[in-house]
Amino acid sequence: MTRLSVNINKIATLRNSRGGDMPSVTKAALDCQRFGAEGITVHPRPDGRHIRYDDVRELSRILSVEFNIEGYPSREFIDLVCQVHPAQVTLVPDAPDAITSDAGWDARANGRMLKQIVSTFKSEGIRTSVFLNPDPAMVPYAADTGTDRIELYTEGYARGYAIDPQAAIAPYASTAAEAVRMGLGINAGHDLSLENLRYFADHIAGLDEVSIGHALICDALYLGLENTVRLYLRELR
């Protein structure tokens, strides 16, 4: 069964636009948990424009579902993750000023660095995931870091799905097959939506988890948060 982790960054973006605590990040996370989401994802960035480090600390104290923290492994990020001890950390190669994630790691060029960071988190008992483009050739290098999982960067799939679903899914299916062959778990995220999620999940063998934020929160504006979470879960079932 593929698990749904809801990324609540956009809740924090809305809150930060006015200051204060409306909408409440913690309430949104607890509501998603109550509505059936199996995980909560956050991606704190250095400029604090959405999820802040204090949010991460607070969420770590109140959640009972899996907590996934994404981010570039700066010293500050590593210290935060080791402090709050989430179920999973997802390493992404974002530049500090990135608007959103826009590429996976070159695991070959960055293998030594990633191996050291993965080792740090695994020594703390934290499951690790490395963000990858859909490229089977990158999987052995990711596996060599010692990571538990890869996360497939799915913007390309989402963009191509409306044109040719079979062509769009093909590189993801082959990358996932290589990951399964090498004993890695598989996560996925970025621009997955109610329109394209079921096809993706049906064609990716061994898909453990999807992390969905932007589309899900946008849908919730029209459909309500509870109904939206349940609709995404239905697509995965």
Side-chain angles (χ1 to χ4, degrees), residues 3 6-7 9 19 23 35-36 72 80 82 128 162 185 187 201 208 210 217 232:
R3 300 165 70 87
V6 177
N7 186 319
N9 276 19
F35 299 150
Y72 180 82
L80 174 71
C82 289
T128 58
N187 298 340
D208 293 298
V210 291
I217 299 303
Y232 275 85

Side-chain angles (χ1 to χ4, degrees), residues 151-167:
E151 178 168 334
L152 295 170
Y153 169 53
T154 51
E155 181 182 7
Y157 162 75
R159 191 170 55 246
Y161 173 79
I163 302 168
D164 186 341
Q166 285 186 312

Side-chain angles (χ1 to χ4, degrees), residues 19 37 42 51 54 66 72-73 81 95 110 152 166 196 206 211 217 229:
V42 295
I51 289 291
D54 284 345
E66 286 198 352
Y72 180 82
V81 172
N110 295 280
L152 295 170
Q166 285 186 312
N196 61 42
S211 174
I217 299 303
V229 170

Side-chain angles (χ1 to χ4, degrees), residues 58-78:
E58 178 64 19
L59 288 165
S60 73
R61 291 191 286 267
I62 65 173
L63 291 174
S64 58
V65 293
E66 286 198 352
F67 192 25
N68 172 44
I69 305 177
E70 299 180 345
Y72 180 82
S74 65
R75 183 71 258 170
E76 293 78 13
F77 179 84
I78 293 170

Side-chain angles (χ1 to χ4, degrees), residues 102-106 130-140 150-159 167-179 186-190 200 204:
D102 57 8
W105 287 98
D106 181 337
V130 171
F131 205 55
L132 282 190
N133 294 327
D135 180 359
M138 277 292 124
V139 175
I150 61 168
E151 178 168 334
L152 295 170
Y153 169 53
T154 51
E155 181 182 7
Y157 162 75
R159 191 170 55 246
I169 200 68
Y172 292 88
S174 59
T175 304
E178 180 66 5
I186 303 167
N187 298 340
H190 204 90
F200 187 86
I204 300 298

Side-chain angles (χ1 to χ4, degrees), residues 30-52:
L30 290 173
D31 283 345
C32 289
Q33 176 178 283
R34 181 163 55 90
F35 299 150
E38 293 106 343
I40 296 294
T41 292
V42 295
H43 188 148
R45 287 188 166 88
D47 60 8
R49 68 179 180 270
H50 37 60
I51 289 291
R52 299 166 177 157

